[in-house]
Amino acid sequence: HGDAKHVKAAIDVALKAKRDWANMPWQERAAIFLKAADLICGPYRKHINASSMLGQSKNCYQAEIDAACEYADFLRFNVSYMVQIYSDQPQSAHGIWNRLEYRPLEGFVFALSPFNFTSIAGNLSAAPALMGNTVVWKCANTQIYSAQVLMEVFRMAGLPDGVINLIHVDGKVV
């Protein structure tokens, strides 16, 4: 378990990674999370399901629905929603081009995930990251193992260091 120094370090790393991540083309960010969905459905399926069963008292059926299927769906739907958001542009009169440029939030996003759903925990950290934000993610103690598997999946999918920063500290410390 970490302490306040770990929280500060996670914030510092998130802020340091912010500029490069926010400036990465959205198509490249999308590709990383689509790759994560493929990894969850493929080689990491048994790992994410097993970690949800061990840490969150899911049976095989529940883990498959929550950890593998629903989370892969969340990742894919989020990319689809991002494409829709970025394509929503104001109407332009003839000879005029009105255009919105979307950008991430200032600072970082703090994600505090629940104890019982791997898919929600992963989504609370990945959805803001997909949109160009960096994240400090504090998972519940019972969710540590599945969160660690998700972090491994993110790394394997090509997520740069510092974009999602998983911390293990008591709630009071955060």
Side-chain angles (χ1 to χ4, degrees):
H1 241 49
D3 58 21
K5 289 181 209 166
H6 291 98
V7 175
K8 173 82 168 92
I11 291 169
D12 291 345
V13 169
L15 293 174
K16 184 177 179 193
K18 174 127 183 94
R19 173 181 236 147
D20 288 343
W21 182 246
N23 289 325
M24 179 182 283
W26 64 265
Q27 298 90 339
E28 291 180 30
R29 293 193 316 261
I32 290 168
F33 289 101
L34 291 173
K35 175 70 174 177
D38 289 346
L39 291 168
I40 293 281
C41 289
Y44 280 87
R45 182 179 221 117
K46 62 186 173 190
H47 300 289
I48 197 64
N49 287 344
S51 66
S52 296
M53 291 165 59
L54 288 171
Q56 295 152 261
S57 300
K58 304 276 184 179
N59 62 36
C60 292
Y61 178 74
Q62 293 166 329
E64 176 68 14
I65 291 171
D66 169 36
C69 296
E70 189 171 23
Y71 191 52
D73 283 350
F74 277 164
L75 291 169
R76 291 180 178 127
F77 279 126
N78 287 346
V79 168
S80 177
Y81 296 142
M82 179 182 66
V83 170
Q84 181 181 349
I85 288 168
Y86 286 167
S87 67
D88 286 342
Q89 295 292 327
Q91 291 184 346
S92 298
H94 182 71
I96 299 172
W97 187 27
N98 290 325
R99 181 127 178 94
L100 289 175
E101 183 176 324
Y102 294 93
R103 62 185 185 87
L105 301 169
E106 298 297 322
F108 64 94
V109 171
F110 174 63
L112 177 62
S113 61
F115 70 96
N116 57 344
F117 288 103
T118 300
S119 59
I120 293 172
N123 200 43
L124 287 173
S125 61
L130 175 66
M131 298 303 290
N133 298 288
T134 54
V135 178
V136 174
W137 174 21
K138 192 265 188 241
C139 66
N141 289 339
T142 55
Q143 212 258 322
I144 287 173
Y145 186 28
S146 57
Q148 216 44 61
V149 172
L150 290 177
M151 289 301 296
E152 186 176 333
V153 166
F154 293 152
R155 278 190 289 282
M156 291 299 296
L159 189 72
D161 290 340
V163 174
I164 297 176
N165 303 280
L166 180 62
I167 55 173
H168 304 295
V169 297
D170 290 330
K172 276 191 224 181
V173 174
V174 168

